[in-house]
């Protein structure tokens, strides 16, 4: 697509977004194969779209690709420009090779997996949108599902092969609904696994069963809201219509001449915006029509009748929906696997993904519950004392003492109080690991790691404590529990090896290599690009020897550098030692841990260069010193809680961004700050979140069953009550920091944050959604604000 | 009292903090990992995950500022 056409297309989309006041617009780059445009070409297209659309709407920019040409350079472009890529993958090698080979017949599977490994790296993970798989009856459905799951995708979607009444899909003799059986087999396993990843087609059917909205045009009655812009600027309807007849998607319109409203008025698109009324009589009278929505438009085509028909997959859809709705798919007959099945017609090579419905962004203002007082059910159920334990079976001693809770409620927290929060974190991590240990017994690598960790916990408890206190050890363990089907239990061996290294113990164990990197939490990471099995790690007082593939490296204790030497300068090749903040030894600059990408839409930075790391070290040291000097009441919290700072990529909009995650207690993620004064504010803000997370680990402060959303001045979207409490607690500290700084600008900042805090406290205390402990906590905050 | 950790160019110094009250979940810190009852660990661990029947807690809190 020429730059002129890109500019014209972006202009038309922006014009449409403004005219219709669209909250969000999704643009999908597809082909053919969009990676053929190369890094510069993709950067140009993405930059132009963002230049024109970012000021007027929220641009959800995506791409659909086979991934074969993905490189680090292109991945950088994708993350820099906020492009999320969906990769086409049909299952394991055998499944994928049925249709996705090079022209010479060679398999592309290895290249696709290499691309997925790249996208899984924390620094590129924001560019990983998910996997798109076309159903092929010749492939075993559960094996396909397992192969997709192994790639740890954020989303999975399944497409039915292109077909219509003229060219129906292949069906084995005697099996009337084989596609339903195939998808039901996936559904069964997915359900048994606890739905570890969203599957758009199945999620959409579940959503529409309860009156919700479909996320795909393949099912549901949502209005079609997708148009295609070809490389020459002509508008077309969805690509899937190409499977109906030659020229089916054509509209005769183009971006240079016509606004998008004219495309929307095209009869073929208009009929797809009519919901139920746009379907044939058979569909309109069908009991499952609100779920299937008549199926994909292209699947309805029949020569002589156009698209005024049920889907050619109608019987499969009815069976699938009925079985899912009734929950009776457990007894669904298995897929019949005939010896030969005619190859299904495929979508165009790496064609566009099915367009989705609402993007899942913040709730629309009109749909948010107003913040109004109501009787709080917690008042009837909560015990009278503050600090009610959050655990399902609380024990005496599982909650914070009232005096500690009061101290933290003031917004500050002395050494004793914040020390208890750090102790809670360690206890929670230990509980998570012990709860994982039975599952670890099923893996020899994990079991050996667990055994070593258990031994070290007795012989070298301080070393174990240092590793288990690392924020991302808890994050990893939490993810294992949260998604057991994807549990990375082998990391237990890495945790144990790290503890052994810190203890100076002697140990030999196998440690998994993940996406080409052997990571040892709190110690460092070794790049092992060609390892296809766990590395042999030998730990002794003299160092760590790692053997994997062609790699045989010994890392000695001095190679775990505090100083910010560039990688490779004085270290073994491929070794990336963890860097620390000089003078603040417990605080790591975390740019190696594979579990550090847990901050939603905030992309983490890749491994820092030596000069960048040195700059971070200087800024962090100065910022922490500044907190000590100008806001000493917050220094104990920073000292006790902060264990890692995760560098984020600079914000595209130039804002200072920071984040904290409850499941990565002790870590703060921040974008590069202009100076230590700005960084100090971000650190104090995020440590407040962590402090409150620690409290909430053992105390119920809000009624989590309260569904109300509350408007707050610091966010556009209404927030749940716990979110309001979090924001209030953090902004109290920010207001306090600015209060202590000289100058008119600081005074203005202080007043703004103070007013936000005071207003939110009034709302919280009037809402009736706090527990007695929460109300007491909020009143302590109120008392602090009232002293200013 | 200071705990010394052997690795790193600079020794970590993690001072013990005086406490006037025992921190919650004390048993989980002071019982060796191999002796913590699984049921006890699960009770505490599951309150940290969505597998409980409680609505999940907020996880990520993000802050954007022009300061």
């Amino acid at each position: 697509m020429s730059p002129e056409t890109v500019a014209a297309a972006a202009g038309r989309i922006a014009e449409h977004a403004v005219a219709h006041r669209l909250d969000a617009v999704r643009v999908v780059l597809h082909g053919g194969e969009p990676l053929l445009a190369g890094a510069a070409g993709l950067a140009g297209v993405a930059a132009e779209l963002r230049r024109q659309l970012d000021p007027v709407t929220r641009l959800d920019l995506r791409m659909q690709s086979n991934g074969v040409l993905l490189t680090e350079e292109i991945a950088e472009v994708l993350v820099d420009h906020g492009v999320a890529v969906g990769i086409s993958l049909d299952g394991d090698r055998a499944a994928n090779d049925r249709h996705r080979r090079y022209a010479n017949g060679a398999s592309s599977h290895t290249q696709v997996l290499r691309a997925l490994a790249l996208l899984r790296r924390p620094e590129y993970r924001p560019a990983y949108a998910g996997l798109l798989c076309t159903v092929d009856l010749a492939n075993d459905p559960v094996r396909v599902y397992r192969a997709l799951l192994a790639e740890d995708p954020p989303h999975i979607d399944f497409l039915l092969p292109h077909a219509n009444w003229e060219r129906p899909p292949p069906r084995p003799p005697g099996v009337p609904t084989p596609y339903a059986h195939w998808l039901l087999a996936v559904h069964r396993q997915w359900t048994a696994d606890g739905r570890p990843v969203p599957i758009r087609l199945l999620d959409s059917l579940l959503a529409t069963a309860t009156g919700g909205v479909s996320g795909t045009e393949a099912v549901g009655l949502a209005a079609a809201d997708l148009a295609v812009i070809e490389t020459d600027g002509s508008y077309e309807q969805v690509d899937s219509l190409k499977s109906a007849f030659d020229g089916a998607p054509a509209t005769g319109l183009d971006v240079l001449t016509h606004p998008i409203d004219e495309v929307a008025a095209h009869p073929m698109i208009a009929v797809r915006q009519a919901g139920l009324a746009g379907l044939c009589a058979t569909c309109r009278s069908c009991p499952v029509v609100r779920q299937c929505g008549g199926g994909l438009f292209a699947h309805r085509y029949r020569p002589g009748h156009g698209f005024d028909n049920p889907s050619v997959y109608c019987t499969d859809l009815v069976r699938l929906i009925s079985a899912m709705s009734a929950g009776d798919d457990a007894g669904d007959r298995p897929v019949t696997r005939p010896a030969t099945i005619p190859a299904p017609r495929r979508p165009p090579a790496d064609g566009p993904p099915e367009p989705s419905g609402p993007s899942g962004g913040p709730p629309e203002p009109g749909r948010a519950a107003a913040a109004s007082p109501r009787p709080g059910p917690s008042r009837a159920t909560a015990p009278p004392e503050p600090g009610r334990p959050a655990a399902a079976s609380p024990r005496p001693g599982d909650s914070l003492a009232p005096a500690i809770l009061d101290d933290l409620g003031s917004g500050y927290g002395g050494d004793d109080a914040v020390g208890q929060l750090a102790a809670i974190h360690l206890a929670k991590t230990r509980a998570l690991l012990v709860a994982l240990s039975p599952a670890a017994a099923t893996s020899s690598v994990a079991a050996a790691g667990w055994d070593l960790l258990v031994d070290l916990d007795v012989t070298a408890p301080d070393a174990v404590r240092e590793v288990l206190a690392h924020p991302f050890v808890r994050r990893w363990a939490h993810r294992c529990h949260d998604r057991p089907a994807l549990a990375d239990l082998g990391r237990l061996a890495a945790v144990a090896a790290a503890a052994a290294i810190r203890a100076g113990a002697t140990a030999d164990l196998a440690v998994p290599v993940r996406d080409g990197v052997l990571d040892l939490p709190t110690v460092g990471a070794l790049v092992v690009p060609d390892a296809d099995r766990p590395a042999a790690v030998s730990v002794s007082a003299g160092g760590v020897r790692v053997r994997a593939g062609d790699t045989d490296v010994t890392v000695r204790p001095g190679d775990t550098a505090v100083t910010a030497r560039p990688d490779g300068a004085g270290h073994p090749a491929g070794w990336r030692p963890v860097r620390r903040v000089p003078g603040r030894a417990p605080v790591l600059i975390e740019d190696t841990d594979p579990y550090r990408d847990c901050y939603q839409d905030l992309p983490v930075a890749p491994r820092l260069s030596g000069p960048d790391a040195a700059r971070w070290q200087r800024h962090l040291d100065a910022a922490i010193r500044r907190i000590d000097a100008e806001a000493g009441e917050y220094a104990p919290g920073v000292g006790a809680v902060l264990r890692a700072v995760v560098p984020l990529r600079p914000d595209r909009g130039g804002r200072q961004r920071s984040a904290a995650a409850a499941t990565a207690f002790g870590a703060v993620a921040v974008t590069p700050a202009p100076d230590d004064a700005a960084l100090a504010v971000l650190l104090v803000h995020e440590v407040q979140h962590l402090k409150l997370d620690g409290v909430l680990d053992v105390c119920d402060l809000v009624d989590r069953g309260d569904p109300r959303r509350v408007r707050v001045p610091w966010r556009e979207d209404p927030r749940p009550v716990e979110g309001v409490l979090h924001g209030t607690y953090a902004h109290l500290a920010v207001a306090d920091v600015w209060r202590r700084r000289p100058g008119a600008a600081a005074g203005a900042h202080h007043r703004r944050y103070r007013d936000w805090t005071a207003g939110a406290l009034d709302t919280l205390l009037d809402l009736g959604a706090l527990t007695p402990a929460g109300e007491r906590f909020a009143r302590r905050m109120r008392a602090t604000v009232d002293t200013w | 009292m200071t705990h010394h950790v052997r690795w790193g160019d600079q020794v970590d110094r993690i001072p013990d903090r005086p406490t006037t009250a025992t921190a919650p979940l004390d048993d989980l810190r002071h019982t060796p990992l191999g002796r913590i009852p699984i049921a006890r660990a699960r009770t505490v661990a599951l309150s940290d995950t969505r597998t409980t029947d409680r609505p999940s807690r907020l996880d990520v809190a993000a802050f954007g500022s022009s300061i």
Side-chain angles (χ1 to χ4, degrees):
Chain A
M1 186 177 277
S2 71
E4 294 75 20
T5 305
V6 173
R12 288 298 185 194
I13 299 169
E15 169 188 82
H16 193 73
V18 170
H20 295 274
R21 298 180 184 177
L22 298 181
D23 172 60
V25 170
R26 174 174 290 182
V27 175
V28 182
L29 310 176
H30 65 89
E33 175 46 59
L35 292 181
L36 287 168
L42 289 169
V45 171
E48 180 62 17
L49 287 165
R50 291 229 168 262
R51 185 184 71 80
Q52 295 208 45
L53 287 166
D54 277 347
V56 299
T57 189
R58 184 167 58 83
L59 174 59
D60 180 6
L61 187 51
R62 303 203 171 207
M63 185 168 77
Q64 187 62 32
S65 167
N66 60 27
V68 168
L69 296 176
L70 188 68
T71 61
E72 283 194 37
E73 183 186 15
I74 291 177
E76 284 287 334
V77 167
L78 297 179
V79 175
D80 280 348
H81 292 84
V83 183
V85 58
I87 299 292
S88 302
L89 181 70
D90 289 346
D92 59 14
R93 175 180 293 275
N96 206 61
D97 282 354
R98 289 187 197 283
H99 305 284
R100 300 187 184 277
R101 290 178 179 269
Y102 292 109
N104 65 3
S107 169
S108 64
H109 189 249
T110 300
Q111 282 72 28
V112 177
L113 295 196
R114 182 197 50 77
L116 292 170
L118 194 60
L119 290 172
R120 277 195 303 272
R121 280 163 52 172
E123 60 266 36
Y124 300 133
R125 182 91 189 179
Y128 190 5
L131 297 175
L132 183 65
C133 171
T134 301
V135 173
D136 186 333
L137 298 181
N139 296 327
D140 180 84
V142 174
R143 280 188 64 178
V144 166
Y145 162 75
R146 288 273 183 236
L148 301 180
L149 204 59
E151 300 306 319
D152 196 10
H155 291 85
I156 293 174
D157 199 13
F158 289 103
L159 294 183
L160 290 167
H162 284 334
N164 53 50
W165 290 102
E166 182 184 29
R167 281 170 286 195
R171 287 194 167 92
V175 185
T177 57
Y179 295 92
H181 298 316
W182 200 98
L183 288 166
L184 285 169
V186 173
H187 178 255
R188 273 195 300 279
Q189 192 59 55
W190 179 60
T191 303
D193 287 347
R195 299 182 192 167
V197 61
I199 296 182
R200 188 163 60 169
L201 177 62
L202 300 181
D203 279 323
S204 293
L205 291 175
L206 292 170
T208 53
T210 55
V213 178
S214 171
T216 167
E217 71 162 355
V219 296
L221 285 170
D225 57 358
L226 176 76
V228 173
I229 300 174
E230 281 288 344
T231 52
D232 63 0
S234 60
Y235 292 112
E236 289 197 346
Q237 301 171 70
V238 289
D239 264 20
S240 57
L241 285 180
K242 290 176 179 171
S243 65
F245 56 89
D246 286 342
T251 66
L253 308 171
D254 68 82
V255 293
L256 296 176
T257 314
H258 305 96
I260 291 177
D261 274 342
E262 288 196 36
V263 184
H266 187 280
M268 289 275 281
I269 291 180
V271 74
R272 298 174 59 213
Q273 295 178 321
L276 190 63
L279 300 181
C280 68
T282 304
C283 287
R284 289 199 303 272
S285 63
C286 177
V288 302
V289 67
R290 294 190 183 279
Q291 287 180 264
C292 81
L296 191 71
F297 193 67
H299 294 166
R300 304 175 202 167
Y301 178 71
R302 184 194 295 271
H305 295 80
F307 296 88
D308 194 27
N309 313 291
S311 166
V312 73
Y313 288 103
C314 177
T315 53
D316 288 282
L317 290 170
V318 169
R319 175 67 190 137
L320 176 63
I321 291 166
S322 301
M324 286 177 62
S325 298
D328 68 349
D329 65 316
D332 200 83
R333 59 185 296 182
V335 179
T336 298
R337 303 283 307 283
T340 56
I341 295 177
R345 298 190 64 220
R346 309 282 303 177
D350 290 307
E354 303 297 335
S356 73
S359 62
E364 295 174 13
R367 300 176 67 182
S372 57
R374 66 157 203 155
S378 61
R379 293 174 188 278
T381 56
E385 74 279 12
R388 183 162 63 92
S393 301
R395 286 182 173 189
D398 279 3
S399 61
L400 289 166
I404 297 293
L405 197 62
D406 283 350
D407 190 19
L408 292 164
S410 69
Y412 309 130
D415 287 336
D416 197 12
V418 294
Q420 292 207 10
L421 300 181
I424 291 166
H425 161 63
L426 181 61
K428 296 280 280 189
T429 305
R430 290 171 66 87
L432 284 161
L433 292 183
V434 173
L436 279 179
S437 60
T442 63
S443 153
S444 59
V445 170
W450 175 248
D451 289 346
L452 176 59
L453 197 63
V454 166
D455 288 345
L456 290 169
D457 193 45
V458 173
T459 59
D462 294 341
V464 172
R465 187 187 63 181
E466 288 302 316
V467 176
L468 299 195
H470 186 51
F472 298 105
V473 171
R474 178 169 170 184
R475 174 70 182 177
W476 152 74
H478 185 277
R479 278 177 62 94
C480 288
H481 282 285
D482 207 30
R483 302 197 303 170
L486 292 170
D488 175 17
L489 294 171
R491 188 156 175 79
L492 262 175
V495 171
I501 291 166
R502 295 179 72 89
T506 299
D508 293 291
L509 73 170
V511 179
V513 176
R514 178 189 169 101
D515 300 329
V517 177
L518 175 79
D519 181 79
L520 301 168
T522 75
V523 177
L526 182 68
V527 178
V528 192
D530 299 320
D532 57 0
R533 62 187 61 185
V537 175
S538 300
V539 183
S540 68
V544 187
R545 184 180 181 191
V546 178
R547 286 163 291 170
D550 295 331
T551 299
D552 188 343
V553 169
T554 297
V555 180
R556 304 194 183 283
D559 295 325
T560 56
V562 169
T563 53
R565 284 181 292 186
D567 290 333
H571 303 312
W575 176 240
R576 297 171 173 179
V578 162
R579 290 144 168 166
R580 297 172 182 274
V581 179
R584 307 280 175 178
V587 182
L588 311 182
I589 299 175
E590 183 54 87
D591 59 359
T592 58
D593 195 288
Y595 287 88
R596 73 186 189 279
D597 59 327
C598 59
Y599 299 101
Q600 294 180 345
D601 63 331
L602 300 178
V604 301
R607 171 70 166 174
L608 300 176
S609 67
D612 283 346
R615 193 158 38 249
W616 275 93
Q617 287 177 325
R618 286 195 303 273
H619 272 176
L620 284 166
D621 182 46
I624 296 172
R625 289 181 192 280
R626 179 182 274 271
I627 294 168
D628 291 343
E630 73 176 7
E633 288 89 340
Y634 299 97
V638 173
V641 169
L642 187 64
R643 282 292 171 274
V645 173
V646 178
L648 296 172
R649 291 175 185 266
D651 179 67
R652 277 197 304 277
R655 289 192 305 164
Q656 299 298 305
R657 301 294 303 274
S658 59
T663 53
F665 183 89
V668 165
V670 287
T671 54
D675 52 45
D676 62 281
L679 184 55
V681 173
L682 298 177
L683 291 180
V684 166
H685 180 109
E686 298 307 335
V687 168
Q688 287 296 103
H689 282 302
L690 294 173
K691 286 159 63 179
L692 185 55
D693 284 330
V695 172
L696 292 168
D697 272 344
V698 291
C699 299
D700 279 337
L701 300 185
V702 301
D703 171 14
R704 289 188 206 148
D706 191 317
R708 287 177 291 178
R709 295 289 185 271
V710 180
R711 290 211 164 274
V712 289
W714 57 84
R715 296 265 303 220
E716 291 183 358
D717 52 327
R719 303 294 292 150
V721 177
E722 187 179 305
V724 179
L725 184 64
H726 255 290
T728 308
Y729 195 63
H731 284 114
L732 178 150
V734 172
D736 202 7
V737 170
W738 284 114
R739 183 176 68 89
R740 297 153 190 257
R741 290 183 175 175
H749 284 313
H750 163 65
R751 287 189 293 277
R752 178 172 56 150
Y753 291 116
R754 179 200 62 196
D755 292 348
W756 286 2
T757 305
L761 281 169
D762 289 342
T763 300
L764 283 169
L765 289 167
D766 288 345
L767 200 58
L770 299 177
T771 64
E775 186 166 327
R776 181 166 170 163
F777 193 85
R779 291 198 185 283
R780 294 287 296 176
M781 294 166 64
R782 177 89 248 179
T784 296
V785 173
D786 287 346
T787 65
W788 297 340
Chain B
M1 176 181 174
T2 299
H3 299 295
H4 295 272
V5 177
R6 298 173 61 176
W7 272 61
D9 288 350
Q10 185 164 329
V11 171
D12 296 349
R13 298 180 188 281
I14 316 293
D16 280 347
R17 295 177 185 83
T19 56
T20 55
T22 304
L25 310 175
D26 190 53
D27 58 314
L28 291 164
R29 280 186 305 282
H30 293 108
T31 306
L33 282 170
R35 294 184 186 169
I36 294 173
I38 300 287
R40 167 67 171 156
R42 282 186 174 144
T43 298
V44 175
L46 293 184
S47 71
D48 210 32
T49 76
R50 71 182 171 92
T51 52
T52 60
D53 57 3
R54 307 158 60 84
S56 58
R57 275 178 46 196
L58 286 178
D59 185 17
V60 174
F63 179 49
S65 168
S66 299
I67 53 176

